[in-house]
Every structure is written in C-alpha cells, then in structure tokens.
Amino acid sequence: MKRTRIVAGNWKMNKDYEAGLSLASEIFPMIESEVQHDLLTILFPPFVHIHALASLSAGKKAFAIGAQDCSANVSGAFTGELAASMIKSAGADYVLVGHSERRQYHGETDTLCYEKIKRALEAGLRPIYCIGELKEQRVAGIFEEVIVAQLEGALAKLTATEMAQLVLAYEPVWAIGTGLTASPEQAQEVHALIRSWLAKQFDIETAQMTSILYGGSVNAANAKELFGMPDIDGGLVGGASLKSRDFTEIAKANH
Ligand code: PGA
C-alpha cells in the first residue's frame, strides 16, 4: 500500500463568497484535466464556502473539502464556535487542527488540539494536525524537542486506529507566509523524525501509512524538489493556493 499523496490549499481568511466559488470552479477542472497521477486535492476555504464547494466537488473522488478549525466542544453555549459535526454535515471531510496561526493568535495548546482531534474523529472528520517550530527555536537548535513535544501533547493518547485517520503537516513557523522555505533536506529531516516517532508511539504500519505534508511558502518553483523527498507526501499551501494556475502546478509536481 502506498501513502496517499495530498495537495491541500489553506485559503485562510481570503476570498468572499463569489470569489471563493469562482476560484474553486477554476481549480477543479484545471486539476482534473492536468493532473494524471493519483492525488487527493483538499481545499480549506473559510467556513461559509464549505457547503457550496462540497456540492461543486460532489462525486469527484480526487477532491475533498475541509474546515480550517473546529470547536473542542460537542455543542452548546459557545457563541461563534462551530462543532465538528456541523462541519461534517455541511459536506466537509477534513479539518485543520493546530495551525500555527491558531496557536499564535488564539493561544491554542497541544492539549486543546487533542480535544479538537477527538471531536473531529467522533464526527467522522479526518484531522490534519499541524506542527512546527518558531524561528528562535530553529536558531537555538531545539526544533526536534519542540516537534516531539507537539506530537506527544496532542497524539499520545490516540489509538493506532484513530491515528490512521489523521494526516500530519510540518509547517515551520518561520517559513509560513514569509517566502522563506525550508530546504528539502531540512524538511526531510523533520519528516523522518515525525515518522520515527509514529513508529515508536504506534507501530511501523501506522508510521508507513501516515501522509505527512510540508507547509511554508510552497510554490510552483520549489514544490517538485520538496515533494521529491522520501518522507514528504505533499503540501499544505497557503498563499499559492489562491491562484488556480500556481496551485495546479503544485498539484502537478506531487507525484
Ligand atoms: P504559506 O502558508 O504557503 O502562505 O506559507 C502555509 C500555511 O500556513 O498553511
């Protein structure tokens, strides 16, 4: 069995409703006609687009829709929050958990991420758990400890069966939206570390089957080299996912 190769577009807080629909209507046919290899493309639009994009991609097995976040609670008096079950019922199949912008601007911790992962799994959503070190941590040479702590803090209580539903994304914070990409070797080093942690924590099969994406200034020019590394199974793409041509080129580079 081969790991699923994935290209995910994280639109963040960009694109009003009509603009989001037209971007997705460009992306789906472009990728359908130009990408010949096995690839799962996941779009993470703002919440309000999820239902429409899920309808647009209905019946297309190579595409899925996800949410950028979900609540750690099941339901109730949590104004402004969205439950994983609501997201699922709107047509999404994936959810990002622990994106560095949630950690940075909303104080999200690994423990909270664990709760969100559990709610997502209970609702039938597949979480993409995001981890990555800050610039100071990379400079101080402690990135390995940081990555392992993020893995342990959110994943250690999961069973191997639960873990099999997850995708991981390594996104060094210093590379997000900065135009600074980790070199393929730097990214590979961390991806290999993540995979060996999975083997130790769960088992070899789980480690071998978990797709691990790289994120942080992925673009059409650097994607091929990154995706060519043995433990990099695809990308979580921010800025370049807002342009259909760039995003399609990135998708083409992932095989
Ligand atoms: P970027 O964002 O590609 O714009 O660096 C990646 C992400 O935050 O997922």
Side-chain angles (χ1 to χ4, degrees), residues 155-193:
L155 308 181
K157 288 198 265 174
L158 299 181
T159 64
T161 312
E162 288 174 325
M163 187 61 220
Q165 295 299 311
L166 269 78
V167 172
L168 298 179
Y170 168 56
E171 299 204 299
V173 178
W174 48 272
I176 296 179
T178 57
L180 288 173
T181 319
S183 70
E185 294 73 24
Q186 281 174 322
Q188 166 60 27
E189 184 186 12
V190 177
H191 282 232
L193 168 77

Side-chain angles (χ1 to χ4, degrees), residues 37-238:
H37 49 272
D38 279 345
L39 179 75
L40 174 64
T41 300
I42 315 172
L43 299 185
F44 289 89
F47 289 124
V48 292
H49 304 56
I50 287 176
H51 187 59
L53 265 55
S55 306
L56 260 184
S57 62
K60 300 182 197 295
K61 279 187 62 186
F63 296 97
I65 306 301
Q68 297 171 18
D69 184 35
C70 71
S71 173
N73 295 290
V74 176
S75 67
F78 301 101
T79 301
E81 294 274 282
L82 283 162
S85 61
M86 295 169 184
I87 293 164
K88 177 74 183 178
S89 72
D93 288 311
Y94 286 81
V95 62
L96 297 181
V97 175
H99 189 279
S100 68
E101 286 148 21
R102 301 292 315 171
R103 294 177 188 265
Q104 189 180 349
Y105 305 130
H106 302 271
E108 295 198 0
T109 60
D110 299 333
T111 315
L112 183 77
C113 291
Y114 166 71
E115 291 298 330
K116 291 189 175 197
I117 288 169
K118 289 293 281 186
R119 294 304 86 71
L121 292 171
E122 287 157 13
L125 287 176
R126 301 187 65 166
I128 299 191
Y129 178 54
C130 306
I131 56 177
E133 80 282 2
L134 304 171
K135 183 156 192 253
E136 310 81 91
Q137 295 166 331
R138 161 103 7 207
V139 171
I142 55 163
F143 61 94
E144 295 181 349
E145 291 88 325
V146 172
I147 297 300
V148 169
Q150 290 173 333
L151 292 170
E152 264 164 16
L155 308 181
K157 288 198 265 174
L158 299 181
T159 64
T161 312
E162 288 174 325
M163 187 61 220
Q165 295 299 311
L166 269 78
V167 172
L168 298 179
Y170 168 56
E171 299 204 299
V173 178
W174 48 272
I176 296 179
T178 57
L180 288 173
T181 319
S183 70
E185 294 73 24
Q186 281 174 322
Q188 166 60 27
E189 184 186 12
V190 177
H191 282 232
L193 168 77
I194 296 169
R195 212 176 292 289
S196 69
W197 183 86
L198 290 170
K200 230 172 35 203
Q201 181 67 30
F202 299 98
D203 49 62
I204 300 278
E205 199 199 337
T206 305
Q208 283 308 321
M209 292 311 295
T210 302
S211 298
I212 308 176
L213 314 182
Y214 167 78
S217 299
V218 175
N219 59 41
N222 61 28
K224 201 174 177 59
E225 245 198 304
L226 285 161
F227 300 160
M229 302 309 278
D231 288 296
I232 302 183
D233 306 307
L236 179 53
V237 186

